[in-house]
């Protein structure tokens, strides 16, 4: 099991400039590195109270945690090297958001030669229609990016 979360080092030196000051930059007070509330800490900054894994999916011993500075888990991380060293060839995807971080990572994995499957009922989006569009893109052309399945079907197919 590999957990990923978008998290930047405190000085934001790993944050791509377009995310800090690009044309889609949120208003002041809601930008990466800004402090939303004292309880939540700085937005998308590693180690801040609001930047961590949800208690229900906290990493267990032996599970890898990837702190990623981009949307995809392969960008500027050791994920590819780690997967190769572990001899892993097949990946199963869950998480949020289906159409951004999950799909980006799945596409990156596919480009690197990994076999990919997305568990449809184990991903989410702010916009149901975006999630559905992402699922359809993944399945397009006979699974150009990978395959999709419901978790019960996937679990039932395991040896």
């Amino acid at each position: 099991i590999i957990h990923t979360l978008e998290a930047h080092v405190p000085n934001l030196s790993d944050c791509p400039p377009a995310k800090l000051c690009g044309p889609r930059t949120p208003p002041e007070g809601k930008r990466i590195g800004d402090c939303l509330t004292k309880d939540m800490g700085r937005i998308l900054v590693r180690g801040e109270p609001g930047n961590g894994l949800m208690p229900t999916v906290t990493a267990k011993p032996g599970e890898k945690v990837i702190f990623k500075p981009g949307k995809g888990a392969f960008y500027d991380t050791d994920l590819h090297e780690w997967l190769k060293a572990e001899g892993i060839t097949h990946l199963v995807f869950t998480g949020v958001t289906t159409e951004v971080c999950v799909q980006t990572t799945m596409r990156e994995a596919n480009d690197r030669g990994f076999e990919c499957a997305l568990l449809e009922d184990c991903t989410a989006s702010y916009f149901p229609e975006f999630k559905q569009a992402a699922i359809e893109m993944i399945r397009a052309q006979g699974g150009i990016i990978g395959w999709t399945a419901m978790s019960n079907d996937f679990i039932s197919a395991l040896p």
Side-chain angles (χ1 to χ4, degrees):
I1 293 177
I2 302 165
H3 302 269
T4 67
L5 64 149
E6 189 173 352
H8 300 282
V9 295
N11 70 5
L12 305 180
S13 61
D14 64 343
C15 187
K19 288 175 67 175
L20 286 175
C21 57
R24 294 173 307 279
T25 302
E28 278 193 51
K30 295 183 179 183
R31 296 179 182 162
I32 294 172
D34 289 351
C35 186
L36 259 178
T37 67
K38 186 176 179 181
D39 290 342
M40 293 298 289
R42 295 173 64 209
I43 299 169
L44 295 178
V45 173
R46 188 174 177 173
E48 291 289 326
N51 186 255
L53 298 173
M54 299 298 295
T56 55
V57 294
T58 299
K60 296 176 182 163
E63 295 178 350
K64 185 166 182 62
V65 177
I66 298 278
F67 296 96
K68 57 189 184 76
K71 305 297 185 242
F74 286 86
Y75 171 70
D76 207 15
T77 72
D78 70 343
L79 180 57
H80 189 209
E81 293 77 17
W82 185 84
L83 290 167
K84 284 175 38 178
E86 294 292 318
I88 295 169
T89 58
H90 292 66
L91 302 174
V92 178
F93 290 82
T94 65
V96 295
T97 55
T98 311
E99 73 279 3
V100 182
C101 297
V102 177
Q103 184 180 201
T104 299
T105 300
M106 194 169 180
R107 287 175 179 272
E108 290 176 327
N110 175 265
D111 283 347
R112 288 164 175 80
F114 294 95
E115 296 290 345
C116 302
L118 175 105
L119 299 184
E120 295 179 34
D121 55 333
C122 296
T123 69
S125 171
Y126 295 107
F127 309 102
E129 64 274 17
F130 289 7
K131 175 181 174 174
Q132 190 57 43
I135 289 168
E136 290 172 19
M137 283 185 253
I138 291 164
R139 291 193 296 226
Q141 300 178 40
I144 194 166
I145 299 164
W147 294 269
T148 69
M150 299 303 281
S151 60
N152 285 340
D153 296 333
F154 179 80
I155 292 166
S156 295
L158 294 173

